Amino acid sequence: MKAIAVHAYGQPPRLDDVPEPEASGPDDVVVRIGGAGLCRTDLHIMDGWFADAIPADLPLVLGHENAGWVHAVGPAVEHLAVGDPVICHPNLTCGVCRPCRMGDDMRCTSGPSLPGLMCAGGMAELFKTRARAVVKLAPEAAPAEVAALADAGLTAYHAVRKAVPELGPGTAFLTAYHAVRKAVPDLGPGTAAVAVGAGGLGHIGIQCLKAMTPASVIAVDTSEEALKLAGSWGADHEVRADGQQAQQVRDLTGQGADAVFDFVGEDATIGDSVAMLRPGGTYYLVGYGGTVTLPTMAMVLGEITVAANLIGTYADLADLVTLADQGKVTLHSSRYPLEAANDAIDDLRHGRIRGRAILIPG
Amino acid sequence: MKAIAVHAYGQPPRLDDVPEPEASGPDDVVVRIGGAGLCRTDLHIMDGWFADAIPADLPLVLGHENAGWVHAVGPAVEHLAVGDPVICHPNLTCGVCRPCRMGDDMRCTSGPSLPGLMCAGGMAELFKTRARAVVKLAPEAAPAEVAALADAGLTAYHAVRKAVPELGPGTAFLTAYHAVRKAVPDLGPGTAAVAVGAGGLGHIGIQCLKAMTPASVIAVDTSEEALKLAGSWGADHEVRADGQQAQQVRDLTGQGADAVFDFVGEDATIGDSVAMLRPGGTYYLVGYGGTVTLPTMAMVLGEITVAANLIGTYADLADLVTLADQGKVTLHSSRYPLEAANDAIDDLRHGRIRGRAILIPG
Amino acid sequence: MKAIAVHAYGQPPRLDDVPEPEASGPDDVVVRIGGAGLCRTDLHIMDGWFADAIPADLPLVLGHENAGWVHAVGPAVEHLAVGDPVICHPNLTCGVCRPCRMGDDMRCTSGPSLPGLMCAGGMAELFKTRARAVVKLAPEAAPAEVAALADAGLTAYHAVRKAVPELGPGTAFLTAYHAVRKAVPDLGPGTAAVAVGAGGLGHIGIQCLKAMTPASVIAVDTSEEALKLAGSWGADHEVRADGQQAQQVRDLTGQGADAVFDFVGEDATIGDSVAMLRPGGTYYLVGYGGTVTLPTMAMVLGEITVAANLIGTYADLADLVTLADQGKVTLHSSRYPLEAANDAIDDLRHGRIRGRAILIPG
Amino acid sequence: MKAIAVHAYGQPPRLDDVPEPEASGPDDVVVRIGGAGLCRTDLHIMDGWFADAIPADLPLVLGHENAGWVHAVGPAVEHLAVGDPVICHPNLTCGVCRPCRMGDDMRCTSGPSLPGLMCAGGMAELFKTRARAVVKLAPEAAPAEVAALADAGLTAYHAVRKAVPELGPGTAFLTAYHAVRKAVPDLGPGTAAVAVGAGGLGHIGIQCLKAMTPASVIAVDTSEEALKLAGSWGADHEVRADGQQAQQVRDLTGQGADAVFDFVGEDATIGDSVAMLRPGGTYYLVGYGGTVTLPTMAMVLGEITVAANLIGTYADLADLVTLADQGKVTLHSSRYPLEAANDAIDDLRHGRIRGRAILIPG
């Protein structure tokens, strides 16, 4: 079958002809790919940034955001049938450790097991995963439309990345949902939540906040165009990040925001984001790249909480799929044939993609 | 009446004869002092560290940790009777803003109002406070024994302090309780909590953890003597802070601790404390003085939460009084006559006090 | 001033000329009434049902759902100014007991203190309450439009009522909000909530559920007209209560609903409501009149929780006012001049009111 | 191998020689039994009470409270090694449905699968279960000492039982733990919890409350002997159930208890238990047999919550094992050789067992 594989770091991946995977293990599931998201992490993989931190044998088939239809299942898999439309969680988990049993999938005590980074991913016609990583979609769902919900390693595994100039479209939708979900109980009527960065992560975060809470949502971004879009996704206020954004948020909210979601996570946004909080508020660190540098004095006087976020759980992904299915969250994406992967990569490198690039096999 | 008042920064306070306060306002309460705690914050006040940050008119009667018996009440006070033994919360609050109504006393929207820092405190025979700040003690309680539970500004108002060499006896007992209370739901059977700093704050924190959770408690300190005492307060393990403490905590706990309470909060303890956490664990910042400097990459991969703490609420103080009344938490203190305040101050400056110094009026 | 007062049980109230109340106590607030809700509880009061359970001296000025503008304040009231538009919580509380301090206003240890039932209410030109019971409205708010949000004793004090044939328009809007608020954390994406009774309480409940959760909302009622309206308030599904309603809810939801809000609370609805739950679901008892009769065997096998609800807190009322101010919750009401109180009473007794009757002074 | 099997309802089980089970399925685990608890449910099974509700093919090997050492594992089992000491959760679950993934094991959507009731149990030399049901014990643990922690179906599956004369020693230890765990966040300093029934369930419940909360614990029982033992397990107060018990609890607590755990669940205890609650308190229904009959008026005025409980989760069992391992919870049991099962059954039927009877193979 066709697959997009990295053969050498620093070179574009190739369209290979590789053997089809088989559901040989008891819990294996082979998925016929409907769409595979291309994300900035893929650029970093092919550029070799992960070579030391998360070593993988080359050639490596890329693709950690995968959706499609069940093609074959192992003998122990009883809850999935051939033909079911599905989306795949990025991490393969053991299912018996305590974190797995409690729904804390990203902390499986076996450690990360990430197709597309550590073994063959889904930029191919067929993709092998395991039963526990498969979320069923509604019967009539179109996998290609939701593939980008399953963003994987980005947030978690930019281990060599020293600085992230910006979080572009290729970012972690699932991560955005997860961060919002944590804050829901605190965001009652009359509260205010800020989304710093109204791009790939932010546009999902804003929609999740509107779908799940009665909080006012303030979008903060450097780009007027992004802010215009933020309004169309439901943001109640848009604030241009021009150096006065923290003051503007305090003007809009009185005492400051109850929650600030930093979908960027750079040195510049961290201090500003914390400065937007009301006393007792929470700063959700979602994007990353910079360093949190906060005097304990200010943290204690403001009684601030800083909550970092790592991708999300299987249940989070299932919930997010439900919101998408109900039309409460929609993704923006551009499609490319699988064979045109290098065109998509080129467009991503040069900032020519709006939303997410999705590769579609033949 | 007699009172200990600061007349000039940089000079010892004096024993003054001042007019007795009266319960002139509708909600006023005058308390006959049974004991007033002396804390490191008092040293900083008399040294002038707060002169800019929290300006006060001199002479200023010191004392922000006060307990005694009701002496007189204003016309609107119905729930207190003359003679009731009481302990006083350090902050005077409005009672009608939303934080006050929800029990979030430290975030009263009127801002801080701290006797002993901003107006006359309790190092005197009589002390004027307000009804909302008064916690009733059990009928037979000895106020002098529990006065130090009400520690006030220390945590909150060391505004000029650049570095805290150690947390001595003069530290925030109420703050320690508050931090523990937050974490209780997460600390089930088989979990582990670390107390970094087994001194004034830590000895209360350890006892609260043992009284309120089934978690194993690990005390970490640089002093062998402090660790020995930690064992007597109920710590399950003692770890010497010799540079290998984070590794030792990980060895004791497997994946790391579920919660780390940093009662020191210096640059040196912050990184070490975070390094003791399991993935998904929480770092409670209680003491302060240093700067939190954490790479976002490590925070996100570990999905760490950093929760700062500011003193505590009225309900927290009432709960802590209950634990003390039930014998589950005990304070260590040394008593001095009010007139000998400068002896106590001298002993505190030179590290000669074990536990808390309590001043007792004639 | 003019006031509507009960002089003898069993007789219509009279339009009296009574002395104006004064803000004589330190925390008193006199409100110039913009609108006072008329509710079924008022019928019960004038019919004498409460004569034994909640004795009051006659004549008694009615009115426990009051909104207007501040007319005068006592000397200790600093956060309210003459002219502020306000709505009044139905219970006067002490402010210093632990429930008051924690926001649990209905459990003030001083016991209930309910104007309109136990002392003069707000069916008058002026109404005396206390500072702690007053919620400020937005500057441009029209008190008459929101008065019914403050429904008072209905839920709590029908002490003699033996059977409630139905919950009509004159029911507890605040109570409805309170019940929904409790359940919010459990009602994530993909969950389902049922409102049993789409009348006075239910129409607020449905709007609150839609504003605050991503749950699907199913309205259940015996009336086709009520169900049609339920759809206009945002219900996702409408189910006619024709004997098969529990089965229909299970058909719609698969395993059953996550939460059922019973805004009726009669013998007939209790069993049906519980039968609509999924295993582990919660039944919120809001309306009342019947008896909960459930075999422990079925409760345990289904691991059901039954949560009763009593009016709501000050913070709940403030939140509800915010939702109304943001246009997320709207009330349906019919206005009558204060002088025409007996016309409104007559219309209410004969089922001729849609929504809530509001009395408007001169 | 030897096994105790029911051949006909109404007759004593027989000691059979049956084929050894094999770990033939990928997730199978065969356990060499160290001890199997005998419980009142076993009497009901052999008496035929479950014949209709939970039909099983006879002969049926009994035993739903099993502990021992791993004897063999299926090919997909990687986290267990031959020789590991283990205890077995009573329900076999699918592991991939949402309840299983979230730790809600008793609500696996595949429905109950209960060895000892529906297929061969553990009153035998070897017992076949599945990987997800196995909790590892500490390396040096003695399985026979903790077997009774795994009580199974009792609480859940007395489907035909119309009245439970009393909850004897053969009751659900795990269930007791589960009920306590739910209430922990509400049981802070100064609160009071009541254990109604200080027998088989109650003695575990009392120890769990003391290990996990700072609440005062009040034991209520009809038996002076049981109350004396309750004191030895840590109860702070003992109240004889002589008709005045609700009043006595209110006298001890002021406003009533914060939580009442009814480990009996009969008509007589239900009303009394609810009468012990403070306003806003929660009644935990653990034992069962009677009918909850509560007027909605009283429930609403008291804003009472009734929370039923069904056995417990895998994580609960693991936590309980940890508490036992730490010496915070201890079980009382009497041992019998497996061959003497009918002696144990006879002793259980005639009330001659203190604590739990445990059958020990060869």
Side-chain angles (χ1 to χ4, degrees), chain D:
Chain D
M1 66 170 188
K2 291 179 199 158
I4 302 295
V6 174
H7 286 255
Y9 295 128
Q11 298 185 5
R14 293 192 212 148
L15 179 66
D16 284 355
D17 195 5
V18 302
E20 297 193 350
E22 285 174 28
S24 45
D27 294 316
D28 283 351
V29 177
V30 175
V31 173
R32 180 160 57 86
I33 289 293
L38 170 69
C39 103
R40 203 162 287 272
T41 295
D42 294 308
L43 305 186
H44 301 329
I45 295 168
M46 59 187 82
D47 292 347
W49 293 21
F50 289 93
D52 293 331
I54 309 180
D57 293 331
L58 299 188
L60 172 73
V61 177
L62 292 172
H64 55 272
E65 280 191 349
N66 307 306
W69 300 267
V70 173
H71 177 76
V73 299
V77 180
E78 295 175 1
H79 66 299
L80 296 171
V82 171
D84 284 346
V86 295
I87 187 169
C88 304
H89 190 272
N91 196 24
L92 306 184
T93 57
C94 79
V96 288
C97 69
R98 188 169 178 127
C100 276
R101 297 191 79 112
M102 303 304 284
D104 194 8
D105 303 279
M106 291 307 299
R107 274 186 273 286
C108 173
T109 57
S110 304
S113 176
L114 303 159
L117 284 91
M118 300 164 75
C119 59
M123 291 191 188
E125 292 176 87
L126 297 174
F127 165 62
K128 182 159 97 173
T129 180
R130 287 224 295 273
R132 274 184 59 81
V134 174
V135 177
K136 267 201 231 189
L137 299 171
E140 72 286 0
E145 285 179 11
V146 296
L149 291 174
D151 178 74
L154 223 218
T155 315
Y157 293 97
H158 273 179
V160 297
R161 196 161 64 153
K162 289 287 182 279
V164 184
E166 95 228 13
L167 277 183
T171 43
F173 296 143
L174 174 55
T175 307
Y177 174 84
H178 185 55
V180 172
R181 191 76 179 86
K182 274 194 188 178
V184 165
D186 296 328
L187 292 173
T191 58
V194 177
V196 173
L201 278 148
H203 92 281
I204 301 294
I206 291 166
Q207 294 178 73
C208 289
L209 282 165
K210 295 303 294 181
M212 297 173 63
T213 82
S216 293
V217 176
I218 303 171
V220 175
D221 204 298
T222 52
S223 146
E224 285 291 356
E225 190 192 348
L227 290 175
K228 234 176 259 173
L229 286 167
S232 74
W233 296 319
D236 297 286
H237 305 278
E238 294 91 42
V239 168
R240 181 80 184 279
D242 58 1
Q244 299 303 310
Q245 61 269 39
Q247 186 55 50
Q248 287 186 64
V249 167
R250 287 197 301 271
D251 291 346
L252 280 167
T253 54
Q255 282 221 301
D258 298 83
V260 176
F261 298 88
D262 185 351
F263 294 116
V264 180
E266 290 302 297
D267 288 350
T269 59
I270 294 168
D272 262 327
S273 295
V274 170
M276 292 170 184
L277 288 173
R278 70 162 172 80
T282 300
Y283 167 64
Y284 293 87
L285 174 69
V286 187
Y288 59 93
T291 298
V292 171
T293 309
L294 296 168
T296 53
M297 174 74 66
M299 291 189 70
V300 164
L301 287 177
E303 203 165 2
I304 294 305
T305 300
V306 176
N309 293 279
L310 175 62
I311 308 188
T313 68
Y314 181 96
D316 288 337
L317 179 57
D319 286 352
L320 184 53
V321 164
T322 297
L323 289 179
D325 189 48
Q326 294 174 341
K328 292 174 182 160
V329 167
T330 55
L331 288 172
H332 293 242
S333 59
S334 314
R335 299 186 179 200
Y336 295 79
L338 179 63
E339 293 83 350
N342 277 311
D343 294 346
I345 289 167
D346 205 49
D347 287 348
L348 177 58
R349 283 201 193 271
H350 294 89
R352 289 191 298 258
I353 291 174
R354 288 288 147 259
R356 188 63 134 187
I358 304 294
L359 304 183
I360 315 281

Side-chain angles (χ1 to χ4, degrees), chain C residues 112-124:
Chain C
S113 176
L114 303 159
L117 285 91
M118 302 164 73
C119 59
M123 292 191 189

Side-chain angles (χ1 to χ4, degrees), chain C residues 214-254:
Chain C
S216 293
V217 176
I218 303 169
V220 176
D221 205 296
T222 52
S223 147
E224 285 291 357
E225 189 192 347
L227 290 176
K228 238 176 256 173
L229 286 167
S232 75
W233 297 318
D236 298 287
H237 305 279
E238 295 89 43
V239 168
R240 182 80 184 279
D242 58 0
Q244 300 304 309
Q245 61 268 40
Q247 185 56 49
Q248 286 185 63
V249 168
R250 285 197 302 272
D251 290 346
L252 280 167
T253 54

